[in-house]
Amino acid sequence: MEQLKYFVFNKKKDYESGWRKEIEITSQGLILEEGTQENGIFISRVLDSGEEGNQWHRAVIQSEGYGDDSIKFYFYCSDEKQVIVDGKLYSWEELIHCNDVSLEKKRHAMEPYLVHRIQNPQDVLLYHARGRYLWIEIQLFCQAGFLPRIRHMKIYAGNRRFLSFLPMIYQSQGQEDFLGRFLGLFEAVYQDLNEKITNSARQLDPMAAEPEFLYWLAEWVGIFNAHLWKEEKLRLLLKGIVRKNLVRGTREYMEYVITIFTGERPFFLEYCEIEQYQGNETAYQSLRKSYAYGPYEVSVFVREQAVPSLREQFALKKMIEDMKPAHIRMHLMILRPGIYLGQNVYVGVNSTLVAYEHANLNGVAAIPSMVGMAQTEAEEEKKYEKFEKLSI
């Protein structure tokens, strides 16, 4: 069967070819400008199907609205390429972009060609849109401070017309209107399934796959904790994971995964790196106590700035446990910024001077003193003596 023809609005260039008022074009689509007192208006470029009397099929819109009143769509369709306004002949494209013609006059000229008026559409059949040319007017309204957004639009110029496969009696005038619209529902489902099958190879690319499909890809390459990852970092991980799986279970593999998760390279300390200090008993015992405890143990150091929340630290610890070799014990050590007694401090890593904080006595916190400790001990001793007398 012949491939469907459709028009897609998913880039800034697609929207910049239209006309707009109080509308901002971003990489994410159309959004109402902040501080707008009135509604914002966008009129798309004219879409040419290339066929007179073309029956437009459907429009699929991805938007972010706040109630049906925040987004309104107006679909216009015509076989005529030109229109007369104030005695002057304009093409539809010229009229849409002409700043000398007011918006009211533009709407008055386009009103006879209005075929659909829909609030906040998601997937709509354009069964009244019959003509070669089609263009769209979008109105965005601010709702309680929330700004609606149009992210993606896909307009189908035609369909496979399931009706054409039926006997001619079903294609006669009068019945075609209802039966054509009824079959259009199934044609829409068929289109979506066919496109997904056609684009299925795209889902194997981690950088282009849909978010829900990333978890399938992660399981296929042995990543069973994909829910702990942010989407953009998970895509980067899967992009090079096939090559890194050749060294799975090694220090190189773990360093690759941790670097992507935290955004910076971790530090590893293995037991063999401590063995060189055996000649210095004091240093050797101190290092064994602070870091690796035996020949099958490894310490991993990550700065606290890379995993600031407890959730991220727990997720990182869980991932390390899942990807380490079975006979190896891993110790995750979070390096806090600052110089503290009894804590690991490394020059150029976390050896920073922290701000001085004053003591705060708020009726709950207290600074212990020798006098206070003596009074407390005396009171405890009196209570103990009193308890002994009662016992006797």
Side-chain angles (χ1 to χ4, degrees):
M1 289 185 179
E2 184 181 353
Q3 182 65 31
L4 288 173
K5 180 190 294 185
Y6 52 80
F7 300 89
V8 177
F9 291 78
N10 60 359
K11 300 186 296 294
K12 293 182 66 175
K13 182 179 178 181
D14 300 327
Y15 296 105
E16 288 172 350
S17 60
W19 179 88
R20 67 186 188 275
K21 176 184 177 183
E22 306 294 346
I23 293 288
E24 181 181 353
I25 299 177
T26 68
S27 58
Q28 302 296 323
L30 297 178
I31 188 172
L32 188 65
E33 289 184 352
E34 293 188 13
T36 302
Q37 300 298 327
E38 301 178 357
N39 62 308
I41 300 171
F42 171 81
I43 303 178
S44 73
R45 71 181 191 274
V46 177
L47 308 179
D48 184 1
S49 67
E51 180 182 349
E52 298 289 335
N54 175 67
Q55 175 62 63
W56 296 78
H57 185 212
R58 62 192 285 231
V60 180
I61 295 99
Q62 294 180 7
S63 61
E64 184 177 323
Y66 301 91
D68 290 341
D69 292 334
S70 62
I71 300 176
K72 293 183 180 180
F73 271 70
Y74 299 83
F75 293 88
Y76 301 90
C77 191
S78 173
D79 269 324
E80 300 175 5
K81 189 176 182 179
Q82 297 174 318
V83 65
I84 297 177
V85 178
D86 292 338
K88 185 177 179 180
L89 189 63
Y90 293 90
S91 68
W92 288 116
E93 199 72 43
E94 292 172 345
L95 179 64
I96 291 172
H97 291 88
C98 183
N99 294 323
D100 297 332
V101 180
S102 65
L103 180 60
E104 290 73 17
K105 289 186 178 181
K106 291 180 182 180
R107 284 177 172 168
H108 181 73
M110 295 188 302
E111 187 176 0
Y113 304 95
L114 178 63
V115 291
H116 288 278
R117 182 190 292 110
I118 306 171
Q119 291 183 322
N120 198 13
Q122 303 296 324
D123 192 337
V124 55
L125 293 176
L126 304 175
Y127 49 86
H128 288 316
R130 186 181 293 274
R132 176 172 178 174
Y133 306 102
L134 181 138
W135 62 99
I136 309 167
E137 178 185 349
I138 304 174
Q139 296 183 14
L140 303 180
F141 300 84
C142 180
Q143 298 288 333
F146 295 100
L147 304 179
R149 183 191 300 270
I150 304 297
R151 298 188 179 276
H152 178 275
M153 295 192 301
K154 195 171 188 178
I155 316 299
Y156 291 85
N159 58 358
R160 290 182 168 83
R161 302 296 295 165
F162 285 4
L163 195 65
S164 63
F165 295 96
L166 298 180
M168 288 300 298
I169 189 174
Y170 296 104
Q171 303 180 36
S172 60
Q173 294 293 332
Q175 295 191 22
E176 181 181 357
D177 185 41
F178 167 76
L179 189 57
R181 284 183 291 156
F182 178 74
L183 293 178
L185 299 173
F186 301 96
E187 292 169 3
V189 175
Y190 176 80
Q191 285 175 0
D192 292 340
L193 290 176
N194 188 57
E195 289 181 15
K196 287 183 178 180
I197 294 172
T198 303
N199 299 325
S200 58
R202 177 175 173 268
Q203 304 298 338
L204 299 178
D205 182 2
M207 306 306 294
E210 296 178 1
E212 57 271 18
F213 201 76
L214 289 176
Y215 298 106
W216 289 85
L217 291 178
E219 290 186 8
W220 292 349
V221 293
I223 304 297
F224 300 103
N225 44 34
H227 62 282
L228 301 175
W229 289 76
K230 295 181 179 179
E231 180 182 326
E232 61 275 10
K233 291 185 177 181
L234 181 59
R235 292 184 186 275
L236 291 176
L237 173 69
L238 297 177
K239 184 179 179 181
I241 198 64
V242 174
R243 178 173 54 85
K244 288 298 181 180
N245 266 343
L246 298 175
V247 292
R248 190 181 183 92
T250 65
R251 174 171 174 172
E252 178 184 348
Y253 176 85
M254 298 182 66
E255 184 174 327
Y256 171 76
V257 175
I258 296 174
T259 300
I260 292 180
F261 184 82
T262 62
E264 59 183 46
R265 181 174 173 270
F267 300 92
F268 285 82
L269 184 65
E270 300 182 44
Y271 183 77
C272 61
E273 298 175 282
I274 297 177
E275 286 297 294
Q276 58 182 315
Y277 295 96
Q278 283 191 358
N280 187 335
E281 186 64 22
T282 303
Y284 179 68
Q285 294 299 331
S286 176
L287 290 172
R288 287 195 57 183
K289 183 178 179 181
S290 301
Y291 304 110
Y293 301 90
Y296 301 106
E297 305 196 13
V298 179
S299 298
V300 182
F301 301 88
V302 177
R303 296 198 312 153
E304 189 180 42
Q305 296 92 321
V307 282
S309 66
L310 292 176
R311 179 188 179 281
E312 292 175 313
Q313 294 175 15
F314 172 79
L316 180 58
K317 185 175 181 180
K318 180 70 169 60
M319 284 186 288
I320 291 176
E321 289 296 322
D322 289 344
M323 63 184 172
K324 70 176 182 64
H327 64 287
I328 298 295
R329 289 185 60 187
M330 305 292 297
H331 303 277
L332 175 61
M333 307 188 72
I334 306 298
L335 302 178
R336 294 178 55 197
I339 301 175
Y340 301 93
L341 293 177
Q343 181 174 305
N344 300 319
V345 179
Y346 302 91
V347 177
V349 178
N350 66 331
S351 58
T352 58
L353 296 177
V354 297
Y356 176 77
E357 297 181 1
H358 296 280
N360 183 22
L361 299 179
N362 56 3
V364 178
I367 298 178
S369 63
M370 296 300 295
V371 177
M373 293 176 63
Q375 291 177 348
T376 302
E377 291 178 359
E379 291 176 358
E380 292 292 335
E381 187 175 351
K382 289 181 181 179
K383 290 180 180 179
Y384 180 73
E385 291 177 354
K386 185 178 180 180
F387 176 76
E388 284 187 334
K389 290 181 180 178
L390 292 174
S391 300
I392 296 174

